[in-house]
Amino acid sequence: MEAVLADNKKEQKRFLDFRKKLYKDRGIFVDNSYFMIKEVFAGKTSFIRDKKIYPLNIVRDGEILCQGIVVYARDLPEYIQICFFESLENNEQAVSLLIDKAVCFGRENKCGRLVAGLNGHVNYGLGFLNSHYGEINSFSAAANPEFYNFYFRDAGFDVIKLNSYFIEAVDDRLDRYKGVIEKLNRNYEFRRFDKKKFDYYSRIYTDLNNQAFEGHRYYFKRNYEEDREMLKELFLFMKEDSLIFAFDGDRPVAFIMWYPDFNELAKGGEIFGAKHFFRNILYNRKIRAAKIMEYGVLEEYRKAGLPMGLIHQVFLSLKNYGTDRVETSWILDENKDSNSFCQALCDREYKEYAVYEKAL
């Protein structure tokens, strides 16, 4: 058994082909990361900026058993990461070799800890699926069989818990907060993203992320180029009301991002791509679910109730689109404020996720 660095086109193709076959054979999950990994290999994404990338295939007798991209991010120097992990079942020795190689790269870069389940930056993905393994994943959510978790738990990693929430119907549940919402609408201006002022609003998004999420586990500062690239891709399909800002006078103080669950356009086992959007345009298929990806509020405004004002703006849009239900993205178990807000607003906790971490 050996660890093969996928630093050439042949080995990178093998890396991608292995991933493609796993998803196809399982036929449950939609692969939302394939094309990003392809761009990483081609050097066409800002993901690789200020990072060291070590894509590894763990191979025995010419067959790939497991794989991952080991990443060192200079702005998160404490951690070496195992990203985009995939594996066959019953391959503890192969996964152990991948972990050992990640530890070696971590020590070379003077890291103190290893984390599995963080995909370079929290904006690109965090956590392994830790429940609901028989359901198709929502757009950008983690998708893996249960045994992925066993590999890291059995290897002595600490477990960092996350979960999502679910809203069964986009109804009148916000009416009981009518007074609060009216006050927020008087005191703040809520603006949608304006594509005609793309750079202006993109920079606001970056600045708010960097300020609102300072101190958040695994978060490190984004730059304007990275977020502009990400938003350019998203706004090929998202509408302008998918990114909403709250302004206090001329000062942006909060935001929320949501989008339709585009995975409704795909089948389990497929690689999500442009063909699904074209299919949606041709057949005018209505997407019934929405995904709330993130919201952020500057620290000095967190007691003002702005998340309620932001979610009210989202509900106004969802009712126009005929959306039936809403899923949130992952929330760290330690994030008490966000969990309390979702528990008050949503119908139930939904999927569980886990990140795995250990000292080198």
Side-chain angles (χ1 to χ4, degrees), residues 5-193:
L5 189 63
D7 58 354
N8 58 75
K9 289 184 178 180
K10 179 181 179 181
E11 202 62 35
Q12 289 168 358
K13 183 178 184 303
R14 292 186 71 207
F15 188 105
L16 291 167
D17 287 348
F18 176 76
R19 182 185 181 95
K20 184 189 297 184
K21 187 174 187 303
L22 279 184
Y23 276 80
K24 183 177 180 181
D25 288 348
R26 290 170 183 156
I28 298 172
F29 307 115
V30 177
D31 188 351
N32 294 133
S33 296
Y34 180 92
F35 286 105
M36 180 178 177
I37 297 170
K38 194 173 181 179
E39 288 189 341
V40 168
F41 288 158
K44 294 181 179 179
T45 172
S46 58
F47 178 92
I48 64 175
R49 179 174 176 172
D50 298 326
K51 296 181 181 72
K52 296 180 181 178
I53 310 293
Y54 311 95
L56 292 172
N57 288 321
I58 307 302
V59 179
R60 182 177 60 202
D61 298 329
E63 179 187 5
I64 297 175
L65 303 179
C66 71
Q67 63 181 201
I69 300 180
V70 179
V71 171
Y72 170 72
R74 292 181 179 87
D75 290 327
L76 195 68
E78 181 182 357
Y79 292 96
I80 194 75
Q81 308 173 37
I82 296 178
C83 311
F84 305 110
F85 172 82
E86 301 291 348
S87 179
L88 300 175
E89 196 169 3
N90 300 318
N91 276 292
E92 288 79 7
Q93 288 186 338
V95 176
S96 180
L97 178 56
L98 176 64
I99 292 170
D100 289 345
K101 294 300 291 185
V103 168
C104 289
F105 288 128
R107 288 173 176 162
E108 287 178 13
N109 289 286
K110 297 182 171 57
C111 301
R113 301 190 69 79
L114 169 62
V115 59
L118 172 62
N119 289 337
H121 189 279
V122 294
N123 284 18
Y124 301 121
L126 182 67
F128 291 97
L129 183 65
N130 197 31
S131 71
H132 297 78
Y133 303 105
E135 297 181 12
I136 196 167
N137 52 309
S138 58
F139 189 74
S140 78
N144 56 268
E146 185 176 14
F147 66 83
Y148 280 25
N149 295 282
F150 299 154
Y151 284 140
F152 296 100
R153 288 178 182 170
D154 292 348
F157 283 70
D158 297 326
V159 182
I160 312 298
K161 295 182 179 180
L162 312 89
N163 59 272
S164 65
Y165 291 85
F166 202 85
I167 295 174
E168 303 285 357
V170 180
D171 50 25
D172 59 359
R173 70 186 61 211
L174 297 184
D175 287 356
R176 62 183 182 269
Y177 304 106
K178 183 177 179 180
V180 173
I181 292 169
E182 288 177 347
K183 182 179 179 180
L184 290 166
N185 287 336
R186 289 194 301 270
N187 293 339
Y188 300 93
E189 179 187 1
F190 294 94
R191 301 184 196 174
R192 299 175 178 183
F193 192 96

Side-chain angles (χ1 to χ4, degrees), residues 304-319:
L306 276 167
M308 188 60 66
L310 291 166
I311 201 69
H312 176 248
Q313 295 294 316
V314 173
F315 263 51
L316 292 176
S317 294
L318 295 181
K319 288 179 179 180

Side-chain angles (χ1 to χ4, degrees), residues 39 44-47 124 198 202 224-234:
E39 288 189 341
K44 294 181 179 179
T45 172
S46 58
F47 178 92
Y124 301 121
F198 196 98
S202 177
Y224 294 135
E225 179 185 348
E226 289 172 319
D227 281 337
R228 187 179 189 279
E229 177 185 283
M230 182 185 74
L231 291 175
K232 276 287 187 184
E233 292 181 357
L234 286 174

